Amino acid sequence: MITVLFFATLKDRAGTRRIELELTEGTQVRQLKSLLGERFPALRPALGSCLVSVNREYAADEDVIPSGAEVALFPPVSGG
Amino acid sequence: MFPTLSHEEILRYSRHLLIPEVGLEGQRKLKAASVLVIGTGGLGSPLLLYLAAAGVGHIGVVDFDVVDYSNLQRQIIHGTSGVNTLKVESARQRMLDLNPDIQVDSYNEPFTSANAMRIAEGYDIIVDGTDNFPTRYLSNDLAVLTGKPNVYGSIFRFEGQASVFDATRGPCYRCLFPEPPPPGLVPSCAEGGVFGVLPGVIGAIQATETLKLILGVGEPLIGRLMLYNALDMTFEYVKLKKNPHCKVCGPTPEITGLIDYFEFCGVPGFDHDEGSAGAGWDISAPELAARLGSGIPIRLVDVREPHELEISRIEGAELFPLGQLASRLSELDSAQEMVVFCKAGSRSARALELLVSAGFRKVKNLRGGINSWAREVDPKLPVY
């Protein structure tokens, strides 16, 4: 079981700020993104440009998500 | 050698001189320092005020806009009397009033790949207080290519981010976000709105980080992204690392010079509220009023957010918030004439792009949005 947190505009796109998910062992960040895209179609266009952290550390697409992880997705924001 | 301080300056900075981390030597470092702040808006306002107050000896200010009433809810360096005057001048005057001992150089021009190197020359630190992606990428690449730190801050509604990108010691902005998001994906403050105090918090954090870099004290936000949520009142941190494939700061960089980002990012770089979809795709407010008045059936598609209807609305328009448009195309008829509009015409320009790419041809963008309609057709409506 992992927790996924959505920040800024991603919260609106997903319609929620956090979800819990059951992942199979060895799931990579890239695969999680496509799972999220299937579950929340409105998220899909934003997934390519967002930053992902696993347990509060930057994660690359090929990083494996450990069980119990807290995954967070941050979109780039431009306001100033 | 660092410059000396006059008796007046010693009095002015006495609360700094009492802190061991600053002291006389630190205050002289501040006086010797030069900082370029890009943008005099929500982030730039507190930033410039605090850098000036702290005694940073040379501050550069870049902006090309004039002060607007809608800026004053958050851009506290400007006042009501400054509305319609140049932002850089309004900011410079306020800073020199606060601290006449510093030098403020203003650059009343859009910050572009053509002038960025020239403007930034001679400054030690770059501070990114801009409100659009093209300038953020420009500011980052400029900092990487010139080996200067880039003090970053960005805001959205109630949430803010800050970091210090110093490619000589850690990741850069592109390590996190290699490519700008596709056009229209991320709303600007003009479109998405922003809580007025939010840039105050983030701008003050950027000022703090800038002063720490100059003084060489504390733990800078290098390698960390700070995330602030005003509604929850939480500060969180994400540990960052250098991206070995980074296009600008990686070992084999693809980007070795400044790029023209305006096309690249897909949003107009200087004018986030331009409100036009391009030649042939626009209709003006009076033209639309005339067509509707002559009985031509035109479907009016409002792509704003639901809460904006409380501010103003055009009778007969149907709400299709931009974010929902792609999934609701089946509710529209490509055979029917259609006009899309938003507040000022830039979200609707993107809606139009989406519709055209989906095969719609009989569609126009209301140039300048419902605000133009309010100015030119229905003065009972407010402009916001």
Side-chain angles (χ1 to χ4, degrees), chain B residues 39-373:
Chain B
T40 60
L43 296 170
S45 288
L47 254 163
L48 292 166
L49 289 171
Y50 276 117
L51 295 182
V56 172
H58 182 198
I59 303 172
V61 184
V62 192
D63 211 316
F64 65 94
D65 222 343
V66 293
V67 180
D68 184 85
Y69 274 109
S70 67
N71 299 150
L72 301 176
Q73 159 259 22
R74 64 196 181 285
Q75 301 183 10
I76 56 168
I77 201 166
H78 310 296
T80 305
S81 62
V83 168
N84 291 328
T85 66
L86 290 178
K87 278 188 162 181
V88 287
E89 274 315 305
S90 155
R92 200 175 74 95
Q93 281 172 22
R94 177 77 186 91
M95 289 160 75
L96 290 175
D97 180 43
L98 187 59
N99 191 346
D101 295 328
I102 60 169
Q103 181 187 336
V104 180
D105 285 334
S106 57
Y107 304 90
N108 178 42
E109 47 193 310
F111 199 62
T112 70
S113 54
N115 62 12
M117 284 282 183
R118 167 179 60 80
I119 292 176
E121 206 185 342
Y123 291 97
D124 310 324
I125 298 174
I126 295 166
V127 186
D128 174 358
T130 65
D131 63 355
N132 62 82
F133 286 114
T135 319
R136 288 196 184 284
Y137 280 82
L138 185 64
S139 155
N140 178 72
D141 293 355
L142 172 72
V144 173
L145 295 172
T146 56
K148 294 171 187 179
N150 178 34
V151 182
Y152 161 83
S154 189
I155 53 172
F156 175 74
R157 293 192 171 166
F158 289 94
E159 290 173 70
Q161 310 177 341
S163 190
V164 174
F165 297 119
D166 180 349
T168 64
R169 296 193 270 172
C172 80
Y173 183 64
R174 265 188 207 277
C175 291
L176 277 65
F177 300 110
E179 296 289 338
L185 195 71
V186 181
S188 68
C189 286
E191 297 163 352
V194 62
F195 187 55
V197 191
L198 177 72
V201 174
I202 301 297
I205 287 170
Q206 288 178 279
T208 307
E209 289 301 307
T210 306
L211 297 176
K212 279 164 59 188
L213 287 175
I214 298 168
L215 295 167
V217 299
E219 284 301 317
L221 268 176
I222 295 173
R224 287 185 291 158
L225 179 68
M226 190 218 73
L227 301 144
Y228 168 66
N229 183 316
L231 286 179
D232 298 345
M233 198 45 78
T234 53
F235 287 87
E236 297 184 57
Y237 300 88
V238 173
K239 236 197 242 173
L240 305 173
K241 52 189 173 199
K242 226 173 159 65
N243 178 349
H245 309 296
C246 181
K247 283 183 182 177
V248 67
C249 81
T252 49
E254 278 171 45
I255 298 168
T256 53
L258 299 177
I259 308 171
D260 181 1
Y261 291 84
F262 310 106
E263 290 300 315
F264 177 41
C265 282
V267 295
F270 332 130
D271 199 347
H272 41 75
D273 232 25
E274 192 183 42
S276 166
W281 292 106
D282 281 341
I283 184 166
S284 72
E287 229 178 307
L288 175 61
R291 287 182 74 79
L292 287 169
S294 67
I296 299 170
I298 298 177
R299 193 157 174 191
L300 293 175
V301 176
D302 182 347
V303 299
R304 296 176 301 158
E305 297 301 311
H307 61 265
E308 294 179 77
L309 294 181
E310 291 169 23
I311 307 167
S312 63
R313 60 201 304 167
I314 300 178
E315 208 189 306
E318 296 165 74
L319 187 68
F320 283 75
L322 183 58
Q324 297 176 12
L325 188 62
S327 56
R328 291 178 59 193
L329 290 178
S330 60
E331 296 172 44
L332 297 168
D333 177 3
S334 61
Q336 196 184 355
E337 233 182 279
M338 199 160 41
V339 169
V340 288
F341 70 91
C342 63
K343 182 188 97 170
S346 73
R347 275 174 290 175
S348 54
R350 295 202 292 265
L352 183 129
E353 257 177 59
L354 195 153
L355 290 167
V356 170
S357 65
F360 288 77
R361 290 294 176 270
K362 295 178 152 180
V363 52
K364 295 264 187 211
N365 175 47
L366 175 57
R367 188 170 59 239
I370 196 168
N371 277 350
S372 281
W373 182 267

